[in-house]
Amino acid sequence: MLFRSLMLGLMRGVTIVALHKFEFEPFLKVLQGWPITVAHVVPPMAVALAKHPLVDNYQFPHLQCLFSAAAPMGPELTAAVEERLKVKVRQGYGMTEASPGTHYALPGHEHIGTVGPLLPNTECRIVDPESGANVPVGERGEVWVRGPQVMKGYLNNPEATAKTVDADGWLHTGDIGIVDERGDLTVVDRLKELIKVKGFQVAPAELESLLLKHPRIADVAVIPIPDEESGELPKAVLVAKGPLTADEVAEFLLPHVAHYKRIRHVEFVDAIPKSPSGKILRRVLVEKERIARA
């Protein structure tokens, strides 16, 4: 993200507008007042752009594109932002261990919800985490990448390096993704964050993306909770922006998901804990849930 937003801009000699810290309304004022054509955001900022009423008070005559990275941004949220702002949304994918990018959606080749194809000189495999075999096109698996940008290893930590980069140079990202017939990657979730319901895998990010389509849900995180019969069940922790009941949340999802993905537990909170880059701090919510149950 730093390379894309700062170094590439400097290389091309374009004007870069940087904010001291992110505050939503000052951010909107800058987008309106400066001739900014591309804005770099993270998914929580995109959620605000799609849903916050303040956006209606501003116009962005120069804005052509939003570029998002750092966390998955689902097709429903992407479509909502594009429809409201009348701009294109492009995504990229990578990690610090890949210095930092492996995929990038080129201008004019954006496909909603995907992070685009591979960068040059980079390889990708989508692998069944249990068997280590490649999965067919269109099916989910762990994303493995290999290329000159992949790190040599963690400093003074050969054990952690061996768990992350195998002997053939493949970086095991820990992300679950799908590659379509065009070669575009869609990042679905983190491998360790998958919820196991009676043996079925449920991706929290998928349910979060669907729930954000609800007009009275401002933000949401989905976490696993223990269940004697199913092993685990998904629970929605959400921020409402209007009258909303748990039954309404559950019923909203019914037409869109399989039976094992249904939300049976809902908690309303004032805010979802997130990292500075915008990733949901699911472990904080899981620990809070564990303490509450204990």
Side-chain angles (χ1 to χ4, degrees):
M1 187 86 170
L2 176 63
F3 172 79
R4 176 65 182 86
S5 59
L6 179 61
M7 304 307 294
L8 187 60
L10 293 174
M11 183 180 73
R12 293 184 173 179
V14 301
T15 299
I16 299 172
V17 180
L19 301 180
H20 177 65
K21 64 177 181 178
F22 177 74
E23 294 177 284
F24 191 55
E25 189 159 20
F27 171 70
L28 296 178
K29 290 179 179 178
V30 168
L31 280 186
Q32 176 176 266
W34 286 73
I36 294 170
T37 57
V38 179
H40 292 77
V41 300
V42 292
M45 296 165 65
V47 170
L49 289 169
K51 290 178 169 284
H52 203 291
L54 270 177
V55 176
D56 294 330
N57 299 335
Y58 293 86
Q59 295 182 346
F60 316 111
H62 304 284
L63 190 62
Q64 301 172 10
C65 170
L66 296 179
F67 180 81
S68 176
M73 184 170 165
E76 292 82 8
L77 176 57
T78 303
V81 173
E82 290 191 345
E83 174 63 26
R84 190 178 194 190
L85 301 187
K86 308 303 180 188
V87 301
K88 282 290 184 180
V89 174
R90 297 206 305 271
Q91 294 193 63
Y93 170 76
M95 53 197 303
T96 302
E97 291 85 345
S99 308
T102 62
H103 293 72
Y104 176 68
L106 293 169
H109 298 277
E110 306 91 346
H111 299 106
I112 286 182
T114 80
V115 297
L118 282 163
L119 290 171
N121 304 315
T122 306
E123 301 171 86
C124 178
R125 293 175 60 194
I126 306 297
V127 175
D128 183 327
E130 296 183 1
S131 69
N134 291 351
V135 303
V137 172
E139 292 193 12
R140 298 181 181 197
E142 184 182 5
V143 181
W144 291 11
V145 293
R146 183 167 67 178
Q149 73 273 49
V150 170
M151 68 171 186
K152 291 183 177 180
Y154 297 110
L155 182 64
N156 299 327
N157 197 337
E159 183 179 349
T161 299
K163 291 179 179 179
T164 307
V165 182
D166 64 28
D168 294 321
W170 289 102
L171 172 63
H172 300 201
T173 68
D175 288 317
I176 298 296
I178 300 168
V179 171
D180 61 26
E181 64 281 352
R182 295 183 301 256
D184 289 339
L185 172 67
T186 300
V187 179
V188 178
D189 220 316
R190 290 289 297 169
L191 178 61
K192 293 182 180 179
E193 291 178 348
L194 290 175
I195 302 169
K196 295 288 187 69
V197 181
K198 293 184 177 179
F200 292 103
Q201 294 183 344
V202 179
E206 177 188 1
L207 299 183
E208 290 159 2
S209 182
L210 289 168
L211 287 168
L212 282 171
K213 294 178 67 177
H214 195 293
R216 295 196 299 279
I217 295 179
D219 204 358
V220 63
V222 174
I223 62 171
I225 61 171
D227 181 78
E228 288 187 5
E229 180 182 347
S230 302
E232 291 180 327
L233 287 174
K235 173 182 177 177
V237 181
L238 59 86
V239 179
K241 60 172 185 177
L244 188 64
T245 67
D247 287 342
E248 288 174 327
V249 174
E251 290 170 6
F252 177 76
L253 276 183
L254 286 181
H256 306 291
V257 299
H259 65 91
Y260 59 89
K261 297 181 181 180
R262 294 174 182 171
I263 294 291
R264 295 175 175 85
H265 301 269
V266 176
E267 179 184 351
F268 295 92
V269 297
D270 293 328
I272 302 295
K274 294 182 180 178
S275 70
S277 65
K279 293 181 180 178
I280 295 171
L281 296 178
R282 238 179 285 274
R283 67 181 184 276
V284 174
L285 295 171
V286 170
E287 179 63 14
K288 179 182 175 184
E289 178 73 21
R290 186 191 67 79
I291 292 173
R293 286 176 172 269

